[in-house]
Amino acid sequence: MAHLDTACVVMVAYGPQPDLNEAVRSALASTGVAIQVVIVDNGAEPAAIEAVRTLDGVTVLSAGDNLGFGAGCNLGVQSTDAEVVVLLNCDAAVRPDTIRALVDAVSDPQVGIATASLRLADDPEVINSVGNPVHYLGLAWAGGYGEPADRHTEAGPVSSASGACCALTRAWWDELGGFDASYFAYHEDVELSIRTWQRGRTVVYVPGAVATHHYEFSRNPGKLYLLERNRLMTLLTTYSGRTLGLLAPALLGQEVGLLAMSASQGWLGKKLAGYGWLLRHRRQLLDRHRQLQAERSRPDREVMQRFTATLDPANVPVPGAITAVNALSTTYRKLVNLWL
């Protein structure tokens, strides 16, 4: 294991950001590691930026426009030569020993990404996320949401890190090529985690790395458009062609259900717009698929073992027929595994 001593905390700021000052100061108060903080100003309220711009150890980069979360993180990481990259939301605050715990975790050469124990800021003994479960059809949600923190004291592998507070070495970030900027926002952490698993490393939950998060789950047509488009983009580029073929009936059934749900909830136009984007960018997606398949070292059969076949998010409503859906989904994945 390497001994790593420097970390850069990258934060992407957009909009009012009332909690930015707290987040930055918490990172600067970290112990056991030399800290830099890079804030990418994607169009944040000027007063929020000015409140932290002159703090020692803080660099503010002006993006000039709203680049999105992924491209903003890419810009921030490019500006530093620290050994470890820590991604931290502007509405999250870390404890003094949190970043050191994340740095220690990614010092293990088998670990690709380490994700923190995210707690609800208004009730720090309650979990926001302990890493995000990923369904084999691409849906992801906050793991452990609403549960007591003392139920999650064991470190271990998770499907996906949470981009609200996670870390990876700069070397691994560079090897992965950072985030795919096409995502703009949402699901980038899932895609980066899947690529980490595909390339032979693990994604781990670190219970001693505690961060509090001013979390409020929201749903609006614009967000749902990005979530759905990006979920499909992840599936189409990370799975092999054979796997996509085997999953096609289940994916089609899921899409029919999501179309019906989007129509009933008033965001059908956004769901269809996501299909339109994917169709217009099909050549880009094909190139990306070829690239990721060439880079991987683990087959889908192994990677899919890290995914779940059941839907049980605690922070979103689920249909009444979820028990039957989960039973069917579990059976279908077993059949797919026989052919992979």
Side-chain angles (χ1 to χ4, degrees), residues 126 186 206 218 247 274:
V126 175
Y186 309 115
V206 184
S218 62
L247 291 177

Side-chain angles (χ1 to χ4, degrees), residues 115-180:
T115 193
S117 177
L118 278 169
R119 315 283 184 82
L120 297 177
D122 58 357
D123 194 351
E125 296 308 312
V126 175
I127 291 295
N128 172 190
S129 172
V130 292
N132 298 335
V134 179
H135 192 275
Y136 71 96
L137 297 181
L139 296 168
W141 56 92
Y145 177 80
E147 297 177 2
D150 59 14
R151 291 187 191 172
H152 299 276
T153 58
E154 296 295 324
V158 291
S159 300
S160 171
S162 169
C165 186
C166 65
L168 59 169
T169 65
R170 175 61 187 274
W172 187 243
W173 174 274
D174 289 343
E175 189 167 335
L176 291 173
F179 285 132
D180 181 347

Side-chain angles (χ1 to χ4, degrees), residues 266-281:
W267 55 281
L268 176 60
K270 291 295 186 181
K271 177 63 175 167
L272 296 175
Y275 293 147
W277 189 96
L278 295 170
L279 183 61
R280 291 192 303 275
H281 293 81

